[in-house]
Amino acid sequence: MNKKIYSFITIFTYGLVLFSPVIFQQVFQASSAQIIQLTTFAYFIGALLMIFYRFKSQLFSLESQKKNVPITILIGIIGVPVSLLLQMVILQIEQRFLGQSVSSQNTQTIVQLIRDNMIFILATTIAGPIMEEFVFRRAIFGSLEKRFGFFIPALLSSVLFALAHNDGYYLLYAGLGFLFCGMYHYSGRIWTSMITHVGMNLLVVLTQLALQS
C-alpha cells in the first residue's frame, strides 16, 4: 500500500468511526447505552483496521532508522510524565492569559460518558489514542515529513489534532501534538507516541473519575 492510499484510507476510517454514533442513532434507533457500547466497539474496530493498514503500508522516510524496541518503550513511558507536565504548563498559560476555565469540557463529557457506561473507558484510553496517532502523527505528519521537513507537517498535524477535539483548548492540544510528533520523529516508530498518548489519557481519565467520586 503506497503512502497516499494509506493516508486516505486511515483518515477515512477515522471519519467513519467519529460519525458512527450518529449512524447508530439514526439507522438502528439505538438507545443511549447501546450507542456507547456500539461506539466503543467501532473504536476498537477502527484501531485494529489502522494497525492492519500500518503493516500493509510502505515505511515512511523517518521510519527508515528506527530505535530498538526497549528504547521505544522507554521513551514512550518517559513521555507520560513529560506530557502531563506539558499539560500543566500550557493550562496555566491558557488560564492566565487566554481566560480559559480550569476544566476541559471535552474531558468532562468523556468522564460523564464513562460514568454512565464504564466500557467507554476502553475507547477513550486505548482505541481512541491509537487511532489519533495513526491519523494525526503517521498519516498526516509522517507522510509529509520527507517533503516539507519537521516543522510545517508537525504544525499542520497539531492544529488539526487540536481542532478535532473542539473544546477551546487549542494551544493545549497543539502543544501535545508537537510533543507526539517529536517522539515519533526521534524514535522512527509510531508506537512511541502511542504509548505516551495511551498512558496520558488513562491517567487523566482515572484521576478525573477519582476526583468526581
Side-chain angles (χ1 to χ4, degrees):
M1 187 188 302
N2 66 41
K3 298 175 184 178
K4 290 182 179 179
I5 293 176
Y6 166 80
S7 295
F8 172 79
I9 196 171
T10 298
I11 295 170
F12 180 74
T13 300
Y14 183 64
L16 284 180
V17 172
L18 287 186
F19 283 101
S20 63
V22 177
I23 298 172
F24 296 142
Q25 184 178 36
Q26 298 296 325
V27 177
F28 300 107
Q29 302 295 312
S31 65
S32 297
Q34 289 173 330
I35 289 174
I36 293 176
Q37 293 169 354
L38 290 170
T39 299
T40 301
F41 179 72
Y43 269 57
F44 270 93
I45 293 297
L48 289 172
L49 284 173
M50 289 184 195
I51 293 172
F52 175 75
Y53 302 156
R54 159 63 185 85
F55 286 109
K56 290 296 183 180
S57 76
Q58 298 174 341
L59 289 178
F60 292 167
S61 60
L62 62 85
E63 297 171 340
S64 59
Q65 294 183 335
K66 297 180 280 191
K67 303 293 183 186
N68 59 42
V69 174
I71 293 297
T72 296
I73 296 173
L74 179 62
I75 295 172
I77 293 172
I78 292 173
V80 176
V82 172
S83 66
L84 293 173
L85 179 61
L86 180 63
Q87 281 196 63
M88 292 172 59
V89 172
I90 297 178
L91 281 173
Q92 286 297 315
I93 294 172
E94 290 191 323
Q95 290 165 22
R96 291 175 182 273
F97 300 105
L98 301 178
Q100 289 282 17
S101 60
V102 176
S103 60
S104 162
Q105 184 59 48
N106 181 62
T107 302
Q108 295 304 313
T109 300
I110 289 172
V111 169
Q112 187 56 52
L113 288 171
I114 293 172
R115 287 171 64 87
D116 293 339
N117 197 320
M118 285 299 294
I119 194 173
F120 194 61
I121 194 173
L122 300 176
T124 58
T125 61
I126 300 176
I130 289 174
M131 289 194 296
E132 289 176 347
E133 290 308 304
F134 279 126
V135 171
F136 296 104
R137 254 58 70 184
R138 192 165 195 268
I140 297 175
F141 168 73
S143 65
L144 299 174
E145 185 269 345
K146 181 179 180 180
R147 183 175 180 183
F148 297 102
F150 176 84
F151 183 77
I152 293 177
L155 179 62
L156 175 63
S157 166
S158 300
V159 168
L160 292 174
F161 180 60
L163 292 174
H165 288 82
N166 192 34
D167 71 346
Y169 285 82
Y170 299 117
L171 183 61
L172 171 62
Y173 289 110
L176 289 171
F178 260 95
L179 173 64
F180 297 150
C181 285
M183 296 177 68
Y184 173 36
H185 184 270
Y186 174 75
S187 68
R189 294 181 185 270
I190 192 62
W191 316 108
T192 311
S193 57
M194 199 175 289
I195 291 170
T196 297
H197 198 162
V198 169
M200 179 193 74
N201 275 28
L202 183 61
L203 285 177
V204 169
V205 169
L206 290 177
T207 300
Q208 291 293 321
L209 286 171
L211 290 173
Q212 291 193 15
S213 298

